[in-house]
Amino acid sequence: MTDDAADATRPEAAAAIDRVRERAAEFAPALGATWTDDEPWRFLTDLTAIGSRMAGSEGERRAAGLVANAFERAGLADVRTEPFDLPAWERGSASLDVTVSGRDGEPATRSFEALALPYSPSGSVSGELVDVGYGTPAEIDERDVEGRIAVASTTTPSGGRFVHRMEKFGYAIDSGAVGFVFVNHLDGQLPPTGSLTFGEEAEAVAVGVSKETGAWLREYAVGGANAPVGGGDDVARAELSVEASTTPGESRNVLGSAGPDTDERVLLLAHYDAHDIAEGALDNGCGIATVATAADILADADLPVGVDVVAVGAEEVGLLGAEHLADRVDLDRVKGVVNVDGAGRFRDLVALAHASTAAASVAEAVSAATRQPIEVDAQPHPFSDQWPFVRRGVPALQLHSDSGDRGRGWGHTHADTRDKVDDRNVREHAMLIALLVAEFAAPERDLPRLDRDELAAAFREADFETGMRAADLWPADWD
């Protein structure tokens, strides 16, 4: 940005800060009530008590009912549920056996705990293990994975962007691997889960294993401490088996509205589904509780533009609820999208602006006006519910929160349970999100559409193209 351009934005930024302060004064009674409200904790308790909220499951259906009740208690208008079809994946058993030669030359087989990754097909593969480190494309290219089972970490090196599981799996399989093992980088005997694809059965079997299991597998892998130099008949062999099914199923979105019935709308989203192995308290119980709490503030507010509040289903298996929503709404009427995925978990809010400087400036104005830290990051990514809108040019914020650690932490493991939640974060973030949504809705706030070529360039600059192509996520019209 040139100095002249920066000077031009300063009056706009000051005006935005003043607007947020005025709005905060108008919202003061509702904000004060939120400070001590026990409804977020009670809602989160009901939600996590369900157990599995896997996409297409009975638990997800029950959760949709709880969300609809919460929206009605918040005072949203026209609360309704919209079903949609999806390929519903159901977990069966998984096994990982490794056969090695002992000092006496006799083979011995070890069995390790493993969790099938969603959309893994049923099947069995066998072969040598190959350690591909963090699983980045560069590391996979350095190893000979052909006909082998790739072993990759859940984290990525510091100093660069976080490489998603789908990218690692897709690139490894495209490079010739016959199976995939995803190793948690955190202690605690916690095998991770997470979908391999967006809404369809994957091409190869894949499982998650704990960090402790991963340490053994890396020793048994080609070139590892327990693998014979030069290979040969004594090289450790692994057999990976998964039992799972993918059948036609149904999920649903829950919708309500706040503010006037205007042609232009702001969308406030959060997904309410979760993986089947835990309570989904952090991912994304905190997020949907935050949105329901923000809705309570917005429902009685004097808003200049209508706000549609949507709890989307089936995010964890491919953003399917958000895709359904994006296909059904008139995107020309959508001023902007606020996606709450990760907010409410930890102390400080993070706003991911997805290549929109205008959306970033909304978060900056709210942070300055409230003197609450909001870290703003403009880099885009395709792995949450803003993606179906961003790729069509709609500006968006994804609201997250930062634990200070790299990676998901307890998310996508058995440990994603209610005891990890501090509901003060949910309430405080809900107050900030209500102000963010109100600033999105301000008539003075200009939110230009994202240019397709500039957006594609931003993804290329962030080094996403190779991984997104491997995961079959690169839009055809970006070529």
Side-chain angles (χ1 to χ4, degrees), residues 91-424:
R91 183 186 308 280
S93 61
S95 63
L96 176 59
D97 299 326
V98 180
T99 301
V100 296
S101 295
R103 291 190 183 188
D104 58 3
E106 292 298 314
T109 299
R110 295 193 63 184
S111 296
F112 295 96
E113 179 187 8
L115 283 176
L117 300 185
Y119 286 135
S120 172
S122 287
S124 298
V125 296
S126 60
E128 298 170 347
L129 298 166
V130 55
D131 180 7
V132 295
Y134 296 105
T136 62
E139 290 171 301
I140 292 171
D141 286 343
E142 291 173 356
R143 273 76 162 180
D144 179 8
V145 302
E146 182 73 33
R148 291 169 167 165
I149 298 170
V151 179
S153 172
T154 54
T155 192
T156 43
S158 60
R161 74 168 180 87
F162 199 87
V163 180
H164 194 272
R165 166 191 64 255
M166 288 175 57
E167 300 175 81
K168 299 178 183 186
F169 169 78
Y171 198 83
I173 300 307
D174 285 351
S175 299
V178 297
F180 183 78
V181 179
F182 200 41
V183 179
N184 202 339
H185 66 285
L186 299 177
D187 297 331
Q189 292 287 2
L190 293 171
T193 190
S195 184
L196 298 169
T197 61
F198 273 9
E200 60 183 6
E201 197 165 270
E203 295 181 8
V205 294
V207 298
V209 301
S210 68
K211 178 181 178 180
E212 293 79 5
T213 291
W216 281 108
L217 299 183
R218 289 194 167 100
E219 286 198 16
Y220 292 136
V222 173
N226 285 344
V229 176
D233 293 339
D234 291 336
V235 170
R237 301 280 298 181
E239 183 167 342
L240 177 60
S241 296
V242 168
E243 291 183 3
S245 63
T246 304
T247 57
E250 184 178 84
S251 182
R252 53 205 47 80
N253 293 339
V254 184
L255 303 90
S257 61
D261 184 14
T262 52
D263 285 339
E264 191 173 49
R265 314 292 294 176
V266 173
L267 296 185
L268 173 60
L269 313 178
H271 76 89
Y272 68 92
D273 64 307
H275 284 289
D276 56 330
I277 65 169
E279 297 171 3
L282 298 173
D283 189 7
N284 190 37
C286 285
I288 189 59
T290 300
V291 162
T293 306
D296 199 8
I297 299 169
L298 294 168
D300 292 329
D302 182 16
L303 298 170
V305 171
V307 176
D308 293 322
V309 184
V310 188
V312 293
E315 187 270 353
E316 295 289 6
V317 295
L319 320 181
L320 303 185
E323 289 284 1
H324 175 77
L325 180 65
D327 287 340
R328 287 180 62 85
V329 301
D330 182 354
L331 293 180
D332 290 337
R333 296 179 59 196
V334 178
K335 185 176 184 181
V337 172
V338 178
N339 171 36
V340 183
D341 188 5
R345 301 180 195 175
F346 307 110
R347 178 62 178 158
D348 290 340
L349 198 61
V350 177
L352 308 178
H354 296 279
S356 171
T357 55
S361 69
V362 172
E364 290 163 353
V366 172
S367 179
T370 61
R371 297 179 59 249
Q372 293 282 344
I374 301 177
E375 179 186 342
V376 180
D377 184 349
Q379 181 173 287
H381 73 77
F383 297 110
S384 190
D385 287 318
Q386 79 288 327
W387 170 238
F389 301 92
V390 166
R391 77 168 187 267
R392 293 171 169 93
V394 181
L397 281 179
Q398 178 194 347
L399 298 175
H400 198 62
S401 53
D402 188 5
S403 68
D405 297 321
R406 193 165 174 83
R408 294 184 184 276
W410 288 303
H412 288 203
T413 75
H414 295 298
D416 185 0
T417 49
R418 191 192 64 157
D419 60 294
K420 311 301 190 305
V421 175
D422 183 341
D423 70 309
R424 292 175 298 179

Side-chain angles (χ1 to χ4, degrees), residues 42-62:
R42 294 176 67 183
F43 170 70
L44 193 59
T45 296
D46 292 341
L47 193 69
T48 52
I50 290 174
S52 168
R53 305 196 303 278
M54 191 71 178
S57 69
E58 172 62 17
E60 191 198 35
R61 186 195 66 78
R62 290 173 56 199

